């Protein structure tokens, strides 16, 4: 079973840069999540895509 994931950085409530990771069952679900993620005010950057 293939998993799809993304690692990104964002600012937390104390304005500290933190790294997060999320795994998805489908590429489509990951793409939808990333689209919403990039619209957030505290989003900084995508670090890596996991396949």
């Amino acid at each position: 079973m293939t998993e799809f994931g993304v690692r990104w950085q964002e600012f937390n409530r104390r304005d500290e840069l933190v790294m997060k990771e999320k795994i998805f069952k489908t590429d489509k679900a990951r793409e939808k999540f990333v689209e919403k993620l990039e619209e957030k005010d505290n989003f900084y950057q995508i670090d890596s895509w996991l396949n």
Side-chain angles (χ1 to χ4, degrees):
M1 180 177 186
T2 303
E3 292 183 332
F4 301 90
V6 63
R7 260 188 214 133
W8 74 95
Q9 290 181 326
E10 66 183 35
F11 292 97
N12 65 13
R13 294 179 186 205
R14 294 185 284 175
D15 287 330
E16 300 166 329
L17 194 58
V18 294
M19 182 169 289
K20 295 190 173 187
E21 177 179 305
K22 189 163 175 91
I23 304 295
F24 301 89
K25 292 182 180 179
T26 66
D27 184 42
K28 187 174 181 179
R30 178 180 63 181
E31 291 296 327
K32 188 173 182 180
F33 176 81
V34 169
E35 287 175 9
K36 291 181 181 182
L37 177 66
E38 291 176 333
E39 294 175 2
K40 291 175 62 176
D41 291 336
N42 65 337
F43 172 75
Y44 181 63
Q45 70 181 9
I46 300 252
D47 285 332
S48 62
W49 298 88
L50 312 169
N51 289 337

